[in-house]
Amino acid sequence: MTRLSSAFSKPHAALVTFITAGDGDTAANLDALVAGGADVIELGMPFTDPMADGPGIQEANIRSLGAGTTTADIFAIAAAFRARHPDTPLVLMGYANPMTIRGGEWFASECNKAGVDGVICVDIPPEEDAELGPVLRVAGIDLIRLATPTTDKARLPAVLDGASGFLYYVSVAGITGLQQAAQTSIDEAVARLKSYTDLPVAVGFGVRTPEQAASIAQVADGVVVGSALVELVARHGSNAAGALQDYVASLKHAIVAARKA
């Protein structure tokens, strides 16, 4: 059993949390996510031209890049995290350019050495899987794909082909952090996706409150929260760890209680 599969085999939905590498005190913030109860952590690779991220994460990218964060820094952060937290899954999330500019083999090797469990690349579609997919699979790194409200039954098999770890359902046809899908549409989408795959289905985009997280946790295998956490880092700067831990703990409590109810 891998770290990711273990995270999704608990009696409650997995809480998947996202922050941007190099924004604030990343090591302390990652530790706070774990302490608060995060089951999976996504670490964002800052990029100049993100296509899926709303203003909050865009601003985090700018802060991180402005501080001089490099890809080497991100792998150092990941390796240090793995040394401190041997059991918590870590997923790198970002865009093709930083992942492929030195070649997919290099990126996969660095992921392996740093103890990264999975990769989400927003702008490499399934048809271009050869750019990164084969080398990640050889290295034992899960390639996590995205499904959206516009992913129909004709498209879904291509999305699932070669996917592993979990399926990330983007619950709104838009960018992160600005809107929340109606729960009825999430219920229907998760049921549809589960009829096509045995992969865990995690739902994200627009999840902000414990109540929203609990509702999603009743039907999905995972709940992804990102923009709300990144905004806490923006608000508290290098002292964000305490606020992050408290907020994540409130989400985790709601998610665990949802299944019990």
Side-chain angles (χ1 to χ4, degrees):
M1 181 174 284
T2 67
R3 281 184 288 259
L4 267 176
S5 62
S6 178
F8 284 98
S9 65
K10 297 176 181 179
H12 55 78
L15 173 56
V16 184
T17 58
F18 171 97
I19 59 171
T20 300
D23 183 28
D25 187 341
T26 306
N29 293 344
L30 289 170
D31 292 347
L33 300 181
V34 175
D39 297 293
V40 179
I41 292 177
E42 294 176 4
L43 184 62
M45 300 180 69
F47 186 54
T48 52
D49 300 284
M51 65 173 61
D53 297 310
I57 297 177
Q58 290 179 31
E59 290 166 6
N61 287 340
I62 292 168
R63 290 192 297 270
S64 177
L65 293 170
T69 303
T70 66
T71 302
D73 294 330
I74 296 167
F75 281 121
I77 290 168
F81 173 86
R82 178 56 62 227
R84 297 193 307 277
H85 303 285
D87 300 323
T88 304
L90 183 68
V91 173
L92 292 184
M93 183 170 186
Y95 295 85
N97 186 286
M99 295 183 184
T100 62
I101 194 167
R102 295 174 181 83
E105 294 86 355
W106 177 87
F107 182 74
S109 174
E110 292 300 303
C111 284
N112 187 280
K113 288 190 291 186
V116 171
D117 299 280
V119 169
I120 301 171
C121 185
V122 176
D123 55 346
I124 294 183
E127 291 81 4
E128 298 174 16
D129 179 73
E131 289 289 324
L132 204 54
V135 291
L136 288 176
R137 287 186 278 272
V138 168
I141 311 296
D142 284 314
L143 179 60
I144 297 155
R145 291 260 177 77
L146 304 171
T148 74
T150 60
T151 305
D152 60 20
K153 64 180 181 180
R155 173 71 173 160
L156 190 55
V159 171
L160 294 172
D161 184 25
S164 60
F166 63 93
L167 182 65
Y168 187 149
Y169 177 62
V170 175
S171 61
V172 296
I175 56 177
T176 59
L178 294 185
Q179 53 187 324
Q180 163 70 27
Q183 185 62 40
T184 301
S185 71
I186 292 174
D187 295 350
E188 293 170 352
V190 170
R192 180 173 63 87
L193 294 171
K194 283 181 165 293
S195 71
Y196 282 88
T197 182
D198 292 328
L199 287 174
V201 177
V203 176
F205 278 46
V207 183
R208 289 185 169 275
T209 69
E211 293 76 20
Q212 289 171 333
S215 296
I216 294 170
Q218 290 177 336
V219 296
D221 303 298
V223 182
V224 186
V225 181
S227 292
L229 295 167
V230 169
E231 288 164 12
L232 284 176
V233 178
R235 192 174 309 139
H236 296 279
S238 60
N239 299 310
L244 289 172
Q245 181 173 336
D246 290 346
Y247 176 61
V248 170
S250 72
L251 295 168
K252 183 62 173 285
H253 176 77
I255 286 170
V256 171
R259 289 281 177 93
K260 291 179 179 179

